């Protein structure tokens, strides 16, 4: 390859700041690999060279992770007053309190109605008041599941920062984990979701962390963008402060493991049905609930006839992870375990 052709190859590392933190050996190896790939060369490696190449490849992968996350980690508070959500390998968790009560709207358009709910036994009550931007939706809850999962794993690992209510996370990590596109529109949707979560007010006496106090609060106390991309168009890192109600639930491990297939569900009602099934079926072979009561638990505003139609449609599509949904002749919805082995991995 001529010097002119070599100079025409795109640089693997474009900025001086990136080059400065890359070990020289790794940088040279990466550039050589790029040039050989561009020239179409094939080389034979001895077992020792293959082993060295594998080590270098792993080093490159780890280095890439650090490069992508360096902006998130550089401003970490030394006194541990916030939790850095930087974990890669963790189980998805959902908090038991919001799985039980229909806090989140199933609407796909701004829901400006005040929502009230009382449990069948009269022991739990809930009033949800939206902001002018609408009530927080079931899709907005994806953010909370991501944060709950990270914080719970942090507690399991004994990280002291996991005891803080303020959490900083990389937006790209959130989008990938929750099965979303990483295009610009998703960043805008995230900002809208954060606004609804912070603006939606809850008044409830549902117990979390062993405390039952009737109080009013926002699902998120606050949120802010702590870093944007160089062109200032999209957010890179975000900080959110969880409500004490949600925080107490996490710190007391009042959470359940959920299937990653949850994030592949398209309809808000499908997500809500999965939560209800996961909460109530447990280790049983199945669980039955009257359709009208299920409608109340989901928080659906549809009339019973329309709700029945929607349930039949979802049952026929068979989209609920781990559970088979059946509607019998007596208007009972029955959730049966579909994949016992997969479900046992969550219990």
């Amino acid at each position: 390859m001529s010097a002119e052709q070599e100079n025409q190859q795109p640089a693997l590392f474009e900025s001086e700041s990136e080059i400065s933190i890359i070990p020289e050996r790794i940088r040279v190896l990466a550039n050589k690999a790029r040039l050989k790939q561009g020239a179409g060369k094939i080389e034979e490696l001895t077992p020792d060279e293959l082993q060295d190449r594998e080590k270098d490849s792993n080093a490159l992968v780890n280095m890439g992770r650090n490069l992508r996350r360096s902006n998130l980690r550089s401003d970490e508070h030394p006194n541990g007053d916030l939790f850095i959500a930087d974990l890669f390998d963790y189980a998805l968790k959902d908090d038991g309190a919001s799985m039980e009560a229909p806090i989140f709207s199933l609407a796909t358009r701004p829901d400006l109605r005040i929502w009230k709910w009382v449990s069948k036994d009269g022991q739990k009550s809930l009033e949800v008041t939206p902001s002018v931007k609408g009530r927080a939706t079931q899709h907005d809850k994806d953010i909370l599941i991501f944060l709950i999962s990270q914080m719970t794993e942090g507690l399991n690992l004994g990280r002291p920062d996991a005891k803080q209510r303020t959490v900083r996370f990389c937006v790209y990590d959130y989008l990938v984990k929750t099965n979303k596109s990483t295009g610009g529109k998703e960043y805008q949707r995230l900002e809208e979701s954060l606004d609804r979560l912070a603006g939606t007010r809850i008044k409830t006496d549902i117990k979390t962390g062993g405390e039952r106090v009737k109080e009013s609060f926002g699902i998120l106390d606050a949120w802010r963008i702590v870093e944007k991309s160089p062109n200032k168009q999209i957010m890179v890192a975000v900080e959110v402060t969880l409500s004490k109600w949600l925080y107490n639930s996490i710190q007391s491990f009042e959470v359940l493991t959920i299937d990653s297939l949850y994030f592949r569900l398209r309809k808000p009602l499908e997500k809500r049905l999965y939560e209800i099934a996961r909460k109530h079926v447990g280790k049983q072979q199945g669980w039955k609930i009257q359709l009208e009561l299920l409608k109340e638990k989901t928080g659906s505003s549809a009339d019973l006839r329309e709700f029945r139609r929607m349930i039949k449609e979802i049952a026929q599509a068979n989209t609920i992870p781990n559970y088979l949904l059946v509607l019998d002749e007596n208007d009972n919805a029955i959730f049966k375990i579909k994949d016992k082995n997969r479900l046992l991995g969550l219990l």
Side-chain angles (χ1 to χ4, degrees), residues 81-85 93-95 98 104 140-155 161-169 174 190 193-194 197-202 208 215-224 238-255:
D81 57 355
L82 59 81
F83 172 61
I84 304 295
K93 303 287 184 179
D94 200 347
D95 72 293
S98 67
F104 299 92
D140 295 340
K141 192 183 179 183
D142 290 357
I143 300 171
L144 301 184
I145 293 175
F146 173 77
L147 297 176
I148 291 166
S149 305
Q150 285 267 351
M151 186 172 283
T152 300
E153 183 63 15
L155 290 170
D161 60 342
K163 293 186 178 295
Q164 303 300 324
R165 279 203 297 136
T166 299
V167 185
R168 179 180 295 182
F169 67 96
Y174 159 73
L190 172 61
S193 293
L194 290 168
L197 287 167
T200 298
R201 302 289 301 180
I202 298 175
T208 62
E215 57 183 339
S216 175
F217 51 88
I219 300 173
L220 296 180
D221 277 5
W223 73 272
R224 71 186 184 103
V238 175
E239 277 182 15
V240 301
T241 301
L242 306 177
S243 67
K244 290 182 180 179
W245 186 76
L246 178 58
Y247 170 80
N248 289 340
S249 182
I250 300 168
Q251 295 295 311
S252 301
F253 292 96
E254 295 171 355
V255 296

Side-chain angles (χ1 to χ4, degrees), residues 68-325:
R68 181 168 61 80
R69 308 182 68 82
S70 60
N71 292 333
L72 184 63
R73 296 289 295 182
S74 60
D75 195 31
E76 183 172 348
H77 294 202
N79 58 356
D81 57 355
L82 59 81
F83 172 61
I84 304 295
D86 58 357
L87 299 168
F88 281 98
D89 187 17
Y90 54 91
L92 292 175
K93 303 287 184 179
D94 200 347
D95 72 293
S98 67
M99 291 174 80
E100 171 67 22
I103 294 173
F104 299 92
S105 174
L106 302 180
T108 54
R109 295 182 180 180
D111 188 347
L112 301 175
R113 299 165 299 171
I114 295 176
W115 180 264
K116 296 182 180 181
W117 172 82
V118 179
S119 62
K120 187 178 180 181
D121 59 10
Q123 297 299 308
K124 302 171 186 176
S125 65
L126 178 75
E127 181 177 293
V128 185
T129 304
S131 70
V132 294
K133 294 188 175 182
R135 178 177 156 204
T137 70
Q138 189 70 37
H139 287 318
D140 295 340
K141 192 183 179 183
D142 290 357
I143 300 171
L144 301 184
I145 293 175
F146 173 77
L147 297 176
I148 291 166
S149 305
Q150 285 267 351
M151 186 172 283
T152 300
E153 183 63 15
L155 290 170
N156 288 333
L157 294 174
R159 281 178 49 170
D161 60 342
K163 293 186 178 295
Q164 303 300 324
R165 279 203 297 136
T166 299
V167 185
R168 179 180 295 182
F169 67 96
C170 174
V171 176
Y172 179 85
D173 290 346
Y174 159 73
L175 295 176
V176 171
K177 189 66 176 182
T178 56
N179 195 42
K180 292 176 174 54
S181 165
T182 55
K185 288 184 178 179
E186 287 298 338
Y187 289 82
Q188 180 60 38
R189 291 190 182 106
L190 172 61
E191 186 169 339
E192 293 168 357
S193 293
L194 290 168
D195 277 342
R196 285 190 293 267
L197 287 167
T200 298
R201 302 289 301 180
I202 298 175
K203 183 165 67 176
T204 185
D205 56 2
I206 296 176
K207 184 189 298 184
T208 62
E211 296 182 8
R212 186 189 299 276
V213 180
K214 192 162 191 176
E215 57 183 339
S216 175
F217 51 88
I219 300 173
L220 296 180
D221 277 5
W223 73 272
R224 71 186 184 103
I225 299 171
V226 294
E227 187 168 352
K228 281 196 170 185
S229 61
N231 61 11
K232 305 296 183 184
Q233 295 300 309
I234 59 175
M235 59 183 106
V236 175
V238 175
E239 277 182 15
V240 301
T241 301
L242 306 177
S243 67
K244 290 182 180 179
W245 186 76
L246 178 58
Y247 170 80
N248 289 340
S249 182
I250 300 168
Q251 295 295 311
S252 301
F253 292 96
E254 295 171 355
V255 296
L256 288 175
T257 305
I258 64 171
D259 199 302
S260 59
L261 292 175
Y262 173 89
F263 290 122
R264 295 180 62 181
L265 297 174
R266 296 178 179 275
K267 299 177 180 178
L269 181 56
E270 290 175 327
K271 288 185 171 182
R272 183 68 188 126
L273 289 171
Y274 173 78
E275 283 189 318
I276 292 170
R278 179 67 186 89
K279 172 80 172 177
H280 291 281
V281 175
K283 297 182 179 180
Q284 306 173 81
Q285 291 299 311
W287 178 69
K288 181 169 67 174
I289 181 173
Q290 189 178 20
L291 188 65
E292 189 169 3
L293 182 56
L294 179 63
K295 175 181 172 302
E296 293 177 10
K297 275 188 171 293
T298 62
S300 174
S301 59
D303 59 40
L304 189 59
R305 182 178 179 180
E306 173 60 13
F307 184 72
R308 184 183 294 109
R309 185 199 65 78
M310 291 189 293
I311 292 296
K312 286 182 177 179
E313 185 178 273
I314 292 173
Q316 185 175 6
N318 193 22
T319 52
I320 308 299
N322 305 325
Y323 303 103
L324 182 67
L325 175 58

Side-chain angles (χ1 to χ4, degrees), residues 43-56:
E43 59 179 335
E44 294 183 0
L45 300 176
T46 67
D48 288 341
E49 289 174 331
L50 188 61
Q51 187 175 11
D52 288 341
R53 186 63 56 85
E54 184 178 356
K55 290 179 181 178
D56 292 334

